């Protein structure tokens, strides 16, 4: 399987969709201050407590970025992009780093693409981000995915609900895993998205977040759902979807694939109206976005045999016989490439027969052979590899012949 070709096809398709949604590409550094990531993502999240590649230079701690949302918000604030008219729409592609135990679909270095709409709390922004996330899978022909959505409410309703959950889980503390016991204090909502079966049974009967969500967030959620229905996007509501990062409020969502094993989350995102203040902004900046894993997307494409266009076919394979002919072929190949043709010449001193075999293997459309006689007459032997025919062609007529088969 040509992973790089699949990657390129996926990336081109993704860029095309993101650009149709009018997102502008943003590139930010891989190395960021630890404080930015810790404040942005939340000091008690798994990523910040256990999964950072961090190092110290002078008195400052740095990390290899584990995601791009906090870095993009940092860039937005630092470069005063809020002063531009209207909301700002960014997309990105890039490597991220998390010190997790590697397994299928989970890597220490992986790649994310994603998009953020910064500067509006309109429910249409949430719906547009979700719609764009799934539109990319549709454009790639990927099936067997599921979109789950939820609302987390505002900060006050999350705090209220955290207290309710602490009360609910307290009597069964001993039955919880060590990680969940810790979360009981730091962030009890995280217990809800446990992957452990015996904990899921306890979670099933827990009080639901929805009953503690503030009215404005509920209205916002209803509006987001209505917009999604309006454009025919299927979703399932999941009251236990909480996401692993602290910066979310209101909308949260995930897209899952059923074809890639345990690490099934293809993409995730949501609204993060408090992130800007958490990283030092004096004003609240409402925002919503998503990010998706490139490697997991490729795994899902492979599992479903999603196809991508073949690489451009080879127009010609050039063979030079003798030192002078080889030099001529070298120069000719260079000129043909400059003309826009896709050609190769053998760099080994192998027999003509061996080189013809290579030309077949590379599926070259033509084979161009130049020896001493051809050099003297400045006419090459051109073999049509499809028809099996051969003719003499003046050197300067070669581009015309090679281009003619393309039309
Ligand atoms: P996240 O859910 O942590 O969200 O990551 C998004 C996606 O990155 C996941 O759904 C998964 O496909 C991929 N991913 C995460 N960790 C790994 C890994 N170790 N190996 C391979 N793939 C991985 C965020 O990062 C948020 N910044 C999303 C967001 C954007 N929220 C608002 N805007």
């Amino acid at each position: 399987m040509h992973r790089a070709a699949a990657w390129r096809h996926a990336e081109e398709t993704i860029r095309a969709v993101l650009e149709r949604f009018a997102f502008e590409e943003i590139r930010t550094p891989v190395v960021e201050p630890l404080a930015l990531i810790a404040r942005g993502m939340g000091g008690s999240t798994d990523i910040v407590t256990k999964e950072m590649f961090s190092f110290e230079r002078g008195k400052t701690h740095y990390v290899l970025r584990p995601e791009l949302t906090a870095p993009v918000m940092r860039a937005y604030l630092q470069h005063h992009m809020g002063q531009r008219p209207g909301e700002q729409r960014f997309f990105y592609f890039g490597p991220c780093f998390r010190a997790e135990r590697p397994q299928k679909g989970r890597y220490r270095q992986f790649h994310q693409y994603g998009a953020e709409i910064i500067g509006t709390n309109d429910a249409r922004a949430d719906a547009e981000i979700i719609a764009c996330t799934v539109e990319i899978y549709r454009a790639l022909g990927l099936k067997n995915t599921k979109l789950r959505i939820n609302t987390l409410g505002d900060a006050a309703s999350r705090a209220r609900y955290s207290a309710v959950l602490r009360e609910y889980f307290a009597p069964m503390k001993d039955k919880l895993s060590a990680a969940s016991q810790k979360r009981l204090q730091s962030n009890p909502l995280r217990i809800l998205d446990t992957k452990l079966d015996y904990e899921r049974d306890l979670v099933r009967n827990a009080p639901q977040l929805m009953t503690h969500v503030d009215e404005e967030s509920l209205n916002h959620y209803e509006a987001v759902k209505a917009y999604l229905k309006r454009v025919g996007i299927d979703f399932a509501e999941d009251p236990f979807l909480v996401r692993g990062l602290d910066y979310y409020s209101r909308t949260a969502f995930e897209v899952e694939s059923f074809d890639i094993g345990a690490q099934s989350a293809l993409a995730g995102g949501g609204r993060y109206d408090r992130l800007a203040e958490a990283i030092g902004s004096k004003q609240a900046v409402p925002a919503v976005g998503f990010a998706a894993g490139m490697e997991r997307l490729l795994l899902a494409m492979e599992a479903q045999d999603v196809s991508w266009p073949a690489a451009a076919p080879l127009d010609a394979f050039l063979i030079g016989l003798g030192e002078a002919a080889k030099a001529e072929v070298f120069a000719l190949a260079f000129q043909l490439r400059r003309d826009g043709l896709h050609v190769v010449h053998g760099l080994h001193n192998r027999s003509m027969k061996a080189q013809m075999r290579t030309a077949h293997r590379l599926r070259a459309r033509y084979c161009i052979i130049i020896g001493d006689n051809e050099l003297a007459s400045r006419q090459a032997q051109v073999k049509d590899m499809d028809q099996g025919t051969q003719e003499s062609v003046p050197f300067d007529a070669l581009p015309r012949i090679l281009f003619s088969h393309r039309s």
Side-chain angles (χ1 to χ4, degrees):
M1 137 120 207
H2 302 286
R3 287 280 294 220
W7 184 298
R8 217 168 96 172
H9 165 64
E11 186 168 335
E12 279 165 11
T13 308
I14 293 163
R15 281 177 183 278
V17 175
L18 289 166
E19 278 167 6
R20 285 205 291 275
F21 275 77
F23 290 109
E24 178 196 342
E25 184 165 9
I26 184 168
R27 297 187 183 187
T28 67
V30 164
V31 174
E32 290 279 5
L34 174 102
L36 166 76
I37 303 292
R39 283 195 209 119
M41 301 181 84
S44 68
T45 55
D46 284 353
I47 296 178
V48 171
T49 54
K50 303 189 292 213
E51 298 168 2
M52 303 266 254
F53 283 106
S54 59
F55 52 96
E56 209 179 327
R57 279 285 172 280
K59 289 207 165 55
T60 312
H61 281 83
Y62 297 94
V63 291
L64 301 181
R65 67 181 180 202
E67 56 113 49
L68 277 100
T69 306
V72 167
M73 183 57 96
R74 184 214 23 87
Y76 173 92
L77 295 170
Q78 188 175 339
H79 300 289
H80 310 291
M81 294 192 228
Q83 287 169 10
R84 299 186 193 169
E87 67 279 0
Q88 301 300 307
R89 308 164 67 94
F90 301 109
F91 83 85
Y92 48 79
F93 259 99
C96 296
F97 304 82
R98 296 184 188 178
E100 300 185 272
R101 192 170 49 79
Q103 53 179 272
K104 184 183 173 193
R106 188 204 267 175
Y107 312 103
R108 284 181 293 239
Q109 171 169 352
F110 59 101
H111 294 75
Q112 280 191 348
Y113 63 90
E116 318 284 348
I117 302 181
I118 304 183
T120 175
N121 54 19
D122 195 302
R124 284 173 299 177
D126 307 48
E128 206 157 273
I129 283 289
I130 297 172
C132 180
T133 309
V134 295
E135 184 63 9
I136 286 169
Y137 299 125
R138 197 197 63 83
L140 285 165
L142 198 75
K143 300 198 173 70
N144 217 9
T145 61
K146 185 175 180 180
L147 165 66
R148 292 178 298 123
I149 64 172
N150 192 19
T151 182
L152 304 173
D154 64 7
S157 43
R158 273 184 74 153
R160 264 198 312 277
Y161 182 57
S162 293
V164 171
L165 278 184
R166 274 193 200 104
E167 231 167 83
Y168 169 79
F169 284 117
M172 50 188 100
K173 190 172 171 198
D174 295 343
K175 291 190 197 154
L176 295 173
S177 65
S180 291
Q181 290 190 13
K182 263 195 217 150
R183 287 174 182 151
L184 199 51
Q185 276 325 304
S186 59
N187 188 358
L189 264 74
R190 287 300 316 284
I191 302 174
L192 297 182
D193 66 1
T194 175
K195 303 282 180 287
L196 302 169
D197 280 342
Y198 68 92
E199 281 193 344
R200 278 199 179 150
D201 290 338
L202 303 177
V203 162
R204 208 162 289 137
N205 298 319
Q208 293 220 348
L209 172 58
M210 200 64 86
T211 50
H212 298 271
V213 167
D214 59 295
E215 177 132 6
E216 228 179 292
S217 295
L218 283 179
N219 292 340
H220 184 88
Y221 187 48
E222 289 307 315
V224 173
K225 287 190 285 179
Y227 285 124
L228 291 177
K229 285 185 188 149
R230 187 81 199 253
V231 288
I233 296 208
D234 287 334
F235 57 83
E237 289 182 68
D238 179 352
F240 294 122
L241 175 72
V242 294
R243 307 271 304 133
L245 320 174
D246 277 358
Y247 51 55
Y248 293 111
S249 51
R250 296 196 170 170
T251 312
F253 67 96
E254 270 180 20
V255 180
E256 208 181 339
S257 164
F258 297 106
D259 295 317
I260 55 173
Q263 300 303 317
S264 61
L266 283 178
R271 179 160 279 288
Y272 51 97
D273 296 343
R274 293 171 298 142
L275 171 62
E277 286 165 303
I279 63 172
S281 169
K282 292 201 176 63
Q283 282 162 4
V285 181
V288 58
F290 84 92
M294 219 30 211
E295 287 81 0
R296 291 187 192 175
L297 168 63
L298 290 171
L299 284 174
M301 284 170 62
E302 254 172 72
Q304 291 180 26
D305 278 329
V306 170
S307 62
W308 55 90
L314 192 60
D315 294 306
F317 189 94
L318 279 65
I319 302 175
L321 302 168
E323 287 314 306
K326 274 189 230 159
E328 183 69 32
V329 157
F330 173 82
L332 205 55
F334 181 81
Q335 186 56 47
L336 290 171
R337 288 165 177 163
R338 185 173 271 178
D339 290 340
L341 289 151
H342 181 186
V343 302
V344 167
H345 61 112
L347 299 177
H348 282 96
N349 292 319
R350 292 185 310 152
S351 71
M352 166 138 145
K353 216 166 130 194
Q355 294 201 57
M356 289 292 271
R357 271 203 304 273
T358 307
H360 270 293
R361 194 170 48 74
L362 296 176
R363 296 173 198 267
R365 182 66 176 73
Y366 291 97
C367 211
I368 298 175
I369 303 148
I370 298 176
D372 289 342
N373 291 344
E374 288 74 22
L375 211 50
S377 64
R378 301 202 67 74
Q379 300 224 344
Q381 292 299 317
V382 176
K383 181 162 184 175
D384 183 323
M385 305 292 272
D386 280 359
Q387 315 285 331
T389 55
Q390 190 163 321
E391 59 177 333
S392 271
V393 175
F395 286 179
D396 55 10
L398 285 170
R400 186 172 52 74
I401 300 282
L402 297 187
F403 274 121
S404 70
H405 82 90
R406 283 199 182 174
S407 49

